[in-house]
């Protein structure tokens, strides 16, 4: 071993050390994923590139748009600003986990009915965020919804329809 | 993003030891600002000590009769904590004015104190910035400085502190409990953050190996007449151009005590106790508020793009105090 | 045949895919063995690369290659090979071509590695040394360098003047002069540009974010010397584009370059910061002078615009021409010039030109209305243009008066008090403003294919795009109705160069262009079915006249005798036909185009509340009344207009890419500091589609709704801000410091 590394040593360029791989257990939409990841992998990239669930979107990678919103233990977060290793053992819900393929979450149906999107790219984040907002129980009026959904940018400008969809679902739940 | 090693600490001692053991290490809690800056290659920690498993996530009564906020309580859980809402509504309002619901669910109280400036040049490694790279120069002074500081600036840096929470903490005379290799200490909130001076790369007076464990809030009479005004270029999810945490303790229309702290105007939350004190015993009126605002802005200097903030800040103070006055009426 | 789907508020057919996360955007395609590319962006505005040190990056295990101008060779020298279908005149930018730096943020290297994180890290280890040269990026300081905008870009027409505007202006009783400025803007669709390129068996497959798969195929074929047939571009879902996807962006070049060289699939995505390193809506300065007689008739319109472009291409858009057609006026003087600067070429951005020009002319009209002490809506009606005076042609249809009337009624315009600062609620000053909008109703040639199977299912395809516009849905509606099928039996496919050629998706022309092709191809299938019905011996229509045959819900029946019927499925079965396939081309009617002007119109009414002390402007109400011919789907069309209004609010109050001229670099290159509206910024928006019948514009009678919603909004808001405050903010965006007139670096505000 020692001899070998001596032979391979390159004097000109210093070998840069790369982060160690770690086993990260994520439960995504009830399914267990055991992923071998380096600590520099964001939760967003872990979900998309390593677990292969591409419903969650990257819109800015800096917590400035909300497209990557997922739920961790029912709370909405920006998955781009947390490392997957920090979330070891946690239960994550993404857009794919809100519908069982037959029955949608009421928000998903309401989004279609109210045309609460155009390009659809921010939509998974909007819906996850709305689920998280309803869990929080602080949105009591349209004005509250406007403020508490402001962490999700929709460049197509579907806000009025997003709010209509959310208000409808909220009124049915009440 | 640079290459780094990573450890999860399970208690405070382990965290403090872990950060000592690694050169260029940083604590990571919520990560909302640190990872943002790492992706921009602005911060390049060689090691991250994950402190999320530390037992610092409680809000407790303290001996003084106030509340102690654990460093790892999220901003959302703090703002929506019943005791905080009732006893420190100013803090609750300030937190809710900041960031987005998702970010508030991640960002911690401790981490919020370490939030770094939003200066464009600090964020862009293609430009000169004394905060990011000491000695390289300040691009903002002659550059785009609409969002920059008007108070306490230096020729080396005109960046602002971006936090809303910290503005309220400054107004409420919070104290920060810190632990480190040399033991525990408590830092008055006003001494926590620094002005840029000759050392703009230093945001605060906490050394590398020290860990914030909690924030003490003293008992407060500011439960009724409080207001947090955030003036910004859009209605939500934007940093403050100017923000004002205003609190009044009144006897009739006479000021028993008053607090005014400003965000978005300096390298730290801006507060001047001596100005506040000079209004104790005076009538809570728009005229007095304006006079107070004039004094608060004494020494303010604009750099072109941000010069408007001087007048805007004065108006914001008056408005915030008037709203605080009114908010008592509604209760 | 009875109308079943066209004009109905059908929910998006791609809605389920979008709400469940199953819609695949370009970055969502994962291919076995895929590598990740990360682009290194240049830090200077102009100069040369002296050296690039890639050794640190290359030393990392898992880094396969760092592409730079030093190791990329074999690509065409002549820049004409880099021209795409939407390129303006000039020489397109060639990524990694040589050591020249021509704009800040220019891509200088591509790192390709086994993982995204590794590529990103390795990119941070690439060290580039530059020799800097003098540069200039400030339009205002280079006005003396302006030159006449050349023709040559798709759709661009030079402005035409008429009469003698100078003389009329000098002699007129009432006049106004004003200069208006717009900052730069970047499209910032939510989806980051991303490309995955796969090179396999001499064929290239590319998943890309684009508004035109054929344009990317054309570009890649030319640049890399590949036969078009060997280049397949796929783009089924596009997460917004707003014009940014009209031209191939550099990540496409990078991904293909790496895939060809490394013989492995490569994905290259841009960061949000890099989304500010290609085309933008240009900074524009405009001078307006209007005059009117005492009765409020316009005597003259003078409109000049100066726009920035790059030093290598002449980006042009139609800014001032609208001032010649919007109102009735005999003396019009128009001028449009460019200034070349050390930046990337601007690119079309939602309602390019029109939205810029409309803000200025509509503000100017408002200013003159105040001079005349006339209601600004009445002033517009007084000068209503019944025909296109520029081209001396009638409009194929123009229901703008209905827009004014219905919009004003819904808004309650008659309750408006005329004086500035005359309406308030506590410390909130209230203002109401109005503006007009117009946009071209284009149609371009397009092809579509239809495949009807024996199970009665129809698949229609065309290589167009759906950037959120609703293309999937309206084409499905058109196909279902044209062939009399149930909508659930129709699938529309798009975004693939294996499909028939469609024009770039932009300019509000897709509904008309691709819609006509879809209608045409379905009519062709229908003809075949009719023929089959009358020629097949066992058919109930055997040997009858095909003229009496109607199609509804998959059933063919006799118009006079409904008991005589057969399903399409049965007909094909008895005829022994497994499928019917047709391809059809449609295009504009050149004679109609010669005889008429095709425009859509809108009237926008806005209410603002302005904080008297703090200057904060909130748009509390907007009514946008639109005349855009036939509305194929009121649900998705309304969304398009809502989005346009949100864009207008954004333009008026928030959006601006801030260039630091010390660096020649856009500095607020992120979504935290580049403000677009959030949910809380948007309040009541009412959309009205007025009835507008137009048999001339195209077979469907549609004019498109992608741009018309944004065009008038900034003007209406600026006018409302004046009405509220008495301050005329002529530079966009209207921020609080300008409203309060305390903006030290921007003194172009006038108070009454």
């Amino acid at each position: 071993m020692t001899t070998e590394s001596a032979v391979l040593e390159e004097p000109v360029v210093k070998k840069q050390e790369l982060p160690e791989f770690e086993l990260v257990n994520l439960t995504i939409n009830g399914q267990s994923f055991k992923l071998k990841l380096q600590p520099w992998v964001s939760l967003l990239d872990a979900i998309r590139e390593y677990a292969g669930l591409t419903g969650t979107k990257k819109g800015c990678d800096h917590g400035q748009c909300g497209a990557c919103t997922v739920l961790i233990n029912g709370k909405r977060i920006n998955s781009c600003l947390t490392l997957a290793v920090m979330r070891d053992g946690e239960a994550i819900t993404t857009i794919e986990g809100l519908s069982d393929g037959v029955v949608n979450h009421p928000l998903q149906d309401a989004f279609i009915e109210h045309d609460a999107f155009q390009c659809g790219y921010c939509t998974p984040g909007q819906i996850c965020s709305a689920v998280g907002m309803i869990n929080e129980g602080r949105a009591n009026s349209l004005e509250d919804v406007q403020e508490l959904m402001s962490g999700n940018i929709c460049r197509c400008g579907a806000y009025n329809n997003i709010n209509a969809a959310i208000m409808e679902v909220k009124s049915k739940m009440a | 993003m640079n290459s780094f090693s990573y450890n999860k600490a399970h208690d405070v001692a382990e965290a403090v030891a872990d950060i000592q053991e690694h050169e260029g290490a940083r604590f990571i809690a919520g990560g909302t600002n640190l990872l943002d800056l790492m992706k921009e290659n602005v911060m390049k920690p060689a090691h991250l000590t994950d402190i999320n498993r530390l037992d610092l996530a409680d809000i407790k009564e303290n001996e003084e009769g106030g509340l102690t906020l654990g460093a790892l309580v999220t901003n959302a859980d703090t703002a929506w904590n019943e005791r905080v809402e009732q006893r420190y509504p100013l803090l609750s309002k300030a937190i809710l004015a900041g960031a987005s619901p998702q970010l508030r669910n991640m960002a911690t109280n401790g981490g919020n104190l370490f939030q770094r400036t939003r200066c464009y040049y600090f964020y862009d490694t293609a430009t000169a910035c004394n905060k990011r790279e000491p000695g390289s120069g300040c691009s903002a002074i002659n550059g785009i400085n609409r969002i920059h500081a008007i108070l306490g600036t230096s020729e080396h840096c005109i960046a602002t502190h971006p936090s809303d929470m910290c503005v309220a903490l400054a107004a409420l005379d919070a104290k920060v409990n810190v632990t480190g290799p040399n033991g525990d200490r408590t830092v008055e909130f006003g001494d926590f953050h620094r002005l840029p001076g000759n050392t703009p790369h230093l945001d605060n007076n906490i050394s590398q190996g020290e860990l914030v464990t909690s924030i003490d809030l003293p008992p407060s009479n500011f439960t009724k007449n409080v207001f947090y005004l955030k003036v910004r270029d859009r209605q939500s999810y934007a940093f403050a151009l100017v923000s004002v945490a205003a609190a009044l303790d009144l006897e009739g229309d006479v000021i028993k005590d008053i607090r005014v702290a400003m965000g978005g105007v300096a390298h730290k939350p801006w507060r001047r106790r001596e100005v506040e004190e000079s209004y104790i015993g005076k009538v809570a009126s728009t005229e007095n508020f304006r006079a107070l605002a004039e004094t608060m802005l004494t020494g303010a200097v604009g750099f072109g793009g941000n010069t408007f903030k001087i007048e805007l800040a004065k108006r914001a103070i008056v408005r915030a105090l008037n709203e605080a006055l009114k908010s008592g009426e509604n209760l | 045949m009875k109308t079943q789907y066209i004009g109905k508020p059908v929910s998006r057919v791609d809605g389920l895919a979008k709400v469940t996360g199953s819609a695949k955007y370009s970055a969502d395609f994962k291919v076995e063995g895929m590598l990740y590319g990360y682009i290194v962006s240049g830090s200077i505005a102009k100069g040369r690369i002296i050296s690039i040190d890639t050794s640190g990056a290359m030393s990392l295990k898992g880094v396969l290659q760092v592409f730079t101008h030093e190791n990329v060779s074999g690509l065409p020298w002549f820049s004409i090979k880099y021209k795409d279908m939407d390129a303006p005149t000039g020489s397109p930018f060639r990524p990694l071509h040589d050591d020249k730096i021509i704009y800040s943020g220019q891509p200088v290297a591509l790192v390709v590695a086994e993982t995204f994180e590794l590529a990103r890290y390795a990119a941070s280890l690439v060290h580039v040394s530059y020799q800097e040269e003098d540069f200039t990026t400030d339009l205002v300081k280079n006005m003396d360098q302006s030159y006449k905008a050349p023709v040559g870009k798709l759709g661009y027409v030079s402005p035409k003047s008429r009469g003698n505007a100078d003389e009329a202006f000098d002699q007129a009783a009432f006049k106004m002069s004003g200069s208006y400025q717009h900052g730069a803007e970047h499209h910032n669709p939510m989806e980051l540009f991303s490309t995955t390129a796969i090179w396999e068996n001499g064929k290239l497959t590319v998943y890309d974010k684009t508004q035109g798969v054929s344009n990317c195929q054309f570009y890649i074929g030319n640049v890399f010397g590949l036969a078009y047939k060997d280049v397949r571009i796929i783009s089924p879902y596009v997460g917004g584009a707003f014009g940014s996807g009209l031209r191939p962006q550099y990540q496409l070049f990078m991904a293909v370059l790496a895939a060809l060289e490394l013989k492995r699939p490569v994905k290259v995505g841009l960061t949000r910061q890099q989304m500010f390193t290609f085309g933008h809506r240009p900074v524009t300065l405009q001078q307006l002078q209007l005059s009117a007689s005492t009765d409020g008739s316009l005597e003259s319109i003078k409109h000049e615009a100066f726009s920035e472009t790059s030093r290598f291409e002449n980006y042009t858009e139609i800014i001032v021409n609208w001032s010649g057609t919007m109102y009735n006026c005999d003396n019009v003087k128009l001028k449009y010039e460019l200034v070349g600067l050390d930046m990337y070429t601007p690119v079309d951005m939602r309602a390019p030109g029109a939205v810029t020009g409309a803000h200025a002319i509509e503000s100017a009209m408002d200013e003159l209305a105040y001079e005349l002490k006339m209601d600004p809506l009445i002033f517009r009606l007084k000068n209503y243009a019944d025909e296109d005076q520029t081209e001396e042609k009638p409009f194929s249809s123009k229901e703008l008066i209905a827009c004014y009337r219905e919009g004003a009624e819904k808004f309650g315009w008659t309750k408006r008090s005329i004086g500035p600062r005359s309406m308030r609620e506590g410390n909130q000053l209230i203002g109401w403003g109005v503006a007009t909008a117009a946009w071209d109703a284009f149609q371009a040639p397009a092809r579509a294919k239809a495949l009807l199977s024996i199970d009665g299912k129809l698949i229609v395809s065309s290589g167009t795009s759906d950037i959120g516009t609703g293309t999937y849905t309206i084409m499905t509606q058109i196909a279902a109705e044209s062939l009399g099928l149930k909508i659930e039996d129709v699938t529309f496919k798009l975004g693939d160069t294996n499909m028939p050629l469609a024009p770039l998706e932009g300019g509000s022309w897709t509904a008309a262009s691709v819609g006509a092709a879809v209608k045409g191809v379905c009519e062709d299938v229908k003809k075949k079915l009719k023929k089959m019905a009358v020629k097949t011996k066992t058919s109930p229509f055997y040997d009858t006249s095909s003229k009496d045959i109607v199609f509804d819900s998959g059933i063919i029946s006799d118009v006079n005798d409904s008991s005589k019927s057969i399903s399409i499925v049965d007909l094909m079965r008895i005829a022994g036909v497994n499928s019917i396939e047709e391809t059809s081309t449609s295009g504009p009617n050149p004679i109609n185009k010669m005889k008429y002007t095709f425009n859509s119109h809108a009237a926008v009414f806005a209410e603002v509340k302005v904080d008297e002390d703090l200057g904060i402007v909130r748009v509390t109400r907007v009514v946008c009344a639109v005349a855009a011919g036939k509305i194929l789907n009121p649900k998705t069309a309304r969304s398009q207009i809502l989005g346009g209004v949100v864009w207008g609010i954004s333009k008026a109050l928030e959006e601006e890419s801030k260039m630091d001229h010390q660096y020649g670099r856009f500095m607020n290159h992120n979504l935290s500091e580049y403000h677009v509206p959030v949910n809380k910024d948007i309040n009541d928006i009412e959309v009205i589609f007025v009835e507008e019948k137009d048999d001339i514009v195209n077979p469907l009678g549609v004019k498109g709704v992608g741009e018309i919603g944004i065009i008038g909004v900034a003007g209406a808001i600026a006018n409302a801000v004046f009405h509220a405050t008495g301050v005329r903010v002529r530079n966009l965006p209207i921020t609080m410091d300008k409203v309060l007139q305390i903006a030290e670096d921007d003194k172009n505000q006038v108070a009454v």
Side-chain angles (χ1 to χ4, degrees), chain A residues 10 13-19 21 38 40-42 45-46 48-50 52 54-62 64-67 95-99 104 107-109 111-124 126-127 142-143 145-147 149-163 166, chain C residues 11-12 14-16 18-25 27-30 34 36 55-56 59-61 115-118 120-121 125 186-192 237-240 242 267 272-273 349-350 466-469 635-636 638-640 642-644 646-647 650 655 670-672 674 676-685:
Chain A
E10 289 175 33
V13 181
K14 185 179 157 249
K15 281 271 180 202
Q16 304 274 348
E17 276 188 38
L18 295 178
F21 283 88
Q38 288 160 296
W40 62 12
V41 178
S42 70
D45 289 324
R48 286 180 53 81
E49 304 293 337
Y50 296 85
T54 54
T56 308
K57 302 300 183 203
K58 186 182 283 189
C60 72
D61 217 14
H62 288 271
Q64 298 162 351
C65 77
I95 190 70
E96 289 94 339
L98 293 180
S99 167
N104 289 336
L107 276 167
Q108 291 175 309
D109 290 331
F111 265 57
I112 297 174
E113 180 56 30
H114 289 274
D115 208 32
F117 50 84
Q118 292 175 43
C119 80
Y121 197 79
C122 74
T123 310
Q126 297 278 0
I127 293 175
L142 174 62
E143 215 186 350
V145 170
Q146 285 180 291
E147 167 63 30
M149 286 300 293
S150 278
N152 292 81
I153 292 176
C154 170
R155 182 59 156 159
C156 296
Y159 296 123
N160 286 359
N161 292 349
I162 290 169
N163 295 345
I166 293 171
Chain C
S11 289
R12 274 172 214 266
D14 50 341
L16 186 64
K18 286 179 173 175
V19 302
T20 54
S22 62
K24 284 212 180 285
Y25 299 81
D28 299 341
F29 291 92
K30 185 153 182 171
M34 187 169 85
Y36 293 80
S55 58
S59 75
L60 297 175
K61 188 169 180 286
T115 68
F116 165 70
E117 293 78 14
L118 183 59
R120 178 173 62 187
Y121 171 46
L125 302 178
H186 283 85
H187 310 68
N188 278 305
M190 296 314 297
E191 183 193 11
L192 301 165
Y237 286 99
V238 178
F242 314 107
K267 171 153 110 181
R272 180 55 64 182
Q273 288 67 16
M349 181 165 167
R350 201 168 194 177
D466 186 338
I467 56 173
T469 40
K635 186 185 269 193
T636 55
R638 174 175 172 269
S639 288
Q640 289 258 76
L642 284 178
V646 171
W647 270 62
S650 187
E655 244 175 276
N670 59 66
L671 290 180
S672 172
Y674 183 90
V676 299
V678 294
N679 198 313
K680 203 178 182 186
D681 291 314
I682 303 306
N683 297 298
D684 223 15
I685 302 171

Side-chain angles (χ1 to χ4, degrees), chain C residues 459-629:
Chain C
I459 297 172
V460 183
S461 58
S462 179
T464 181
S465 173
D466 186 338
I467 56 173
T469 40
T471 314
Y472 275 115
T473 308
I474 58 168
M475 295 309 155
T476 306
Q477 290 173 263
I478 292 168
E481 179 157 325
S482 301
L483 197 45
L485 292 175
K486 289 182 181 163
I487 199 160
E488 54 268 29
D489 288 332
V490 179
T491 304
F492 182 72
K493 294 186 171 178
L494 53 70
D496 190 331
T497 47
N498 282 359
M499 295 170 186
L501 186 72
L504 285 165
E505 207 278 353
S508 295
W509 64 55
T510 302
S513 309
V514 181
V518 167
K519 187 176 195 296
V521 78
C522 290
E523 301 288 352
D524 289 350
V525 173
K526 195 191 243 176
K527 261 184 228 153
K528 272 207 167 167
L529 284 168
K530 281 183 176 177
K531 204 170 157 193
M532 197 183 290
V534 298
K535 298 262 176 182
T536 305
K537 287 209 170 122
T538 49
S539 155
F541 300 94
Y542 179 65
D543 215 14
T544 64
S545 163
S546 67
K547 283 206 294 277
D548 294 334
I549 294 177
V550 290
F551 290 69
D552 189 25
S553 302
I555 307 293
I556 304 169
S557 53
D558 190 305
V559 72
N560 304 311
D561 176 7
S562 62
S563 67
K564 199 158 111 187
S565 72
I566 186 168
S567 70
I568 289 176
V569 172
D570 287 341
L571 176 64
M572 287 173 73
R573 189 172 42 78
I574 60 169
V577 174
N578 277 326
S579 63
I580 300 173
E581 187 178 310
E582 287 291 324
T583 303
S584 159
T585 304
S586 72
N589 178 329
I591 298 165
N592 284 355
K593 182 99 187 111
M594 228 150 40
K595 282 169 33 188
Y596 297 94
T597 292
F598 303 151
N599 276 181
S600 56
H601 294 90
V604 184
F605 299 82
E607 175 185 87
V608 299
K609 290 188 179 167
V610 185
D611 189 301
E612 186 176 15
D613 305 313
L614 304 175
I616 298 166
V617 180
R618 285 179 305 135
V619 178
T620 45
R621 229 156 37 94
V622 175
V623 173
C624 186
V626 177

Side-chain angles (χ1 to χ4, degrees), chain B residues 121 124 139 146 234 319, chain C residues 273 611 660 663 665 676 737:
Chain B
Y121 304 95
D124 188 336
S139 302
R146 176 178 159 77
R234 64 182 176 193
R319 172 64 61 80
Chain C
Q273 288 67 16
D611 189 301
D660 181 334
Y663 290 104
R665 188 172 175 89
V676 299
D737 42 339

